[in-house]
Amino acid sequence: MVCERCGPSRWAVWAVAALVGIAAPGCGRSRPARPIPPPALSAEAMAHAVDAAREAATRGDWASVETLVTPVIEANGRHAEALRLRGQARFEREDVTGAADDLEAAAEAGAEGLDFHLLAAQALDAAGRYAKAVQAAEAAVLDAPDDPRGHEALGLLQLKLERHKAAYEQLRVALDLGGGGPEIAMAAAEAALGARMFDEAMAMANAALEQLAQGESNDAVEQSRPLLVIMRRYLMRGGAGDAEAAQQYLEQFRMRTEGRPMADAAIGEALVKANRPSEAARYLEKLAADAPAWAHRARAEALLALGQRFDVALREAKAAAEAPDAADGDLAALGWAQWKCGDTDAAMETLRRAVERVAAPSVRARCHYQLSRILEAQGRAAEAKEHLALARDLGYPLAR
């Protein structure tokens, strides 16, 4: 009972204070109030948000898509459609890591369909999650075995990972299904060449030439590059090769390109790939500053293999690594050029970054081998042996 004159008793004050998260005077330490959780989204609210996000996606309003579905994902972390939409939005907004996270989670939550799996493969590839990217491309093939796009995606990923025979098989299926075009035929030729399937490489390169001849492209160098695949087939076959046949295709290439400035660069790149750096260096001597990354890298690799003009090799390797169309081999060439020019710290950083990022096992193997050489020169024998063993495991020939 509370005395009307005296007000509430002390215990009653304390009890009320405890309930609201404060302490009455003289009653010890205060207790913070518990936060009130926000009300959970209803199923109806989630569906409305997802529908609105789909509509925003049709307009290309990717910022709104992400804003609309994020609360849905916070309420239900396994909402496959919300994760898919946000993953697509993030990929379109160049948040590659976020896109890969969302699309991987969407797949685990049960997202399906050819278009979804192709998007997931693209995002996971861009994020450097190559095993997951292959899984997504395989799922695309399983979802739609008669659609060439899944086979194309899987074949190109396998080629990037230097699984040449598997890549050729998938790309050949894509072509048989009517997909691709000269680019896919060229990729199939490269895959066959990597698997040392020389007759298949020639057939695919000729198919690329036939398709290019029927197209409207005016790029004579790109139209003629399949001839260089055929040339490399003769340069590489059986180790000894067939120089006369290679020269025949090289002359055809020259005739078709009509002396275009990039023609010599393309020949040089083909010779680098055929392990003929001395010949390659001559073709790559006059290289335009705005040449594509593959041309700059080819010149750097030719000079590094010859042990000549390391300052020029470094300049070319930097141009390749900084180009918008930079590829796996660019960091490896840059790291080796940095070391040859005496910048050991930069070389170590570049090669370690390459080991983490690149897809091609041969490039990773080369980087491990180069790291072992640098560490050995620094007297760090134990670390050098570790990298040498990794290079050996990846099949690098000089690491034996």
Side-chain angles (χ1 to χ4, degrees), residues 375-376 378-386:
L375 289 163
E376 185 179 19
Q378 292 181 320
R380 298 157 67 178
E383 293 175 75
K385 286 181 180 178
E386 289 177 8

Side-chain angles (χ1 to χ4, degrees), residues 14-215:
W14 188 90
V16 172
L19 286 172
V20 298
I22 62 173
C27 293
R29 293 184 301 171
S30 65
R31 296 184 182 180
R34 292 182 181 178
I36 300 174
L41 285 179
S42 66
E44 183 180 357
M46 288 188 194
H48 178 74
V50 169
D51 286 343
R54 287 197 193 100
E55 184 180 344
T58 63
R59 302 192 306 269
D61 184 359
W62 301 112
S64 293
V65 171
E66 187 167 351
T67 299
L68 285 162
V69 296
T70 293
V72 177
I73 295 168
E74 290 172 350
N76 177 7
R78 290 187 59 80
H79 195 298
E81 180 63 1
L83 287 163
R84 182 195 70 78
L85 283 163
R86 192 172 73 173
Q88 183 178 5
R90 286 178 165 177
F91 190 66
E92 294 289 345
R93 300 179 75 192
E94 300 184 356
D95 177 5
V96 172
T97 301
D101 290 341
D102 281 344
L103 294 169
E104 191 174 341
E108 292 172 358
E112 295 179 342
L114 175 63
D115 290 338
F116 164 72
H117 290 306
L118 290 174
L119 174 64
Q122 189 179 4
L124 290 162
D125 176 28
R129 303 178 194 178
Y130 303 116
K132 292 286 186 180
V134 168
Q135 289 177 12
E138 288 172 341
V141 170
L142 289 173
D143 266 14
D146 294 330
D147 193 303
R149 291 177 293 165
H151 297 282
E152 286 176 23
L154 181 55
L156 292 173
L157 275 167
Q158 299 284 32
L159 180 58
K160 188 173 187 176
L161 293 165
E162 296 180 331
R163 300 169 185 170
H164 293 113
K165 187 174 182 181
Y168 171 77
E169 290 169 354
Q170 290 296 326
L171 295 170
R172 182 62 189 268
V173 170
L175 290 165
D176 289 344
L177 289 170
E183 297 83 3
I184 297 300
M186 273 290 290
E190 291 283 354
L193 199 59
R196 301 190 77 80
M197 299 162 60
F198 295 109
D199 292 339
E200 290 85 348
M202 172 172 271
M204 288 294 101
N206 277 323
L209 278 169
E210 289 175 11
Q211 293 182 46
L212 285 164
Q214 297 169 7

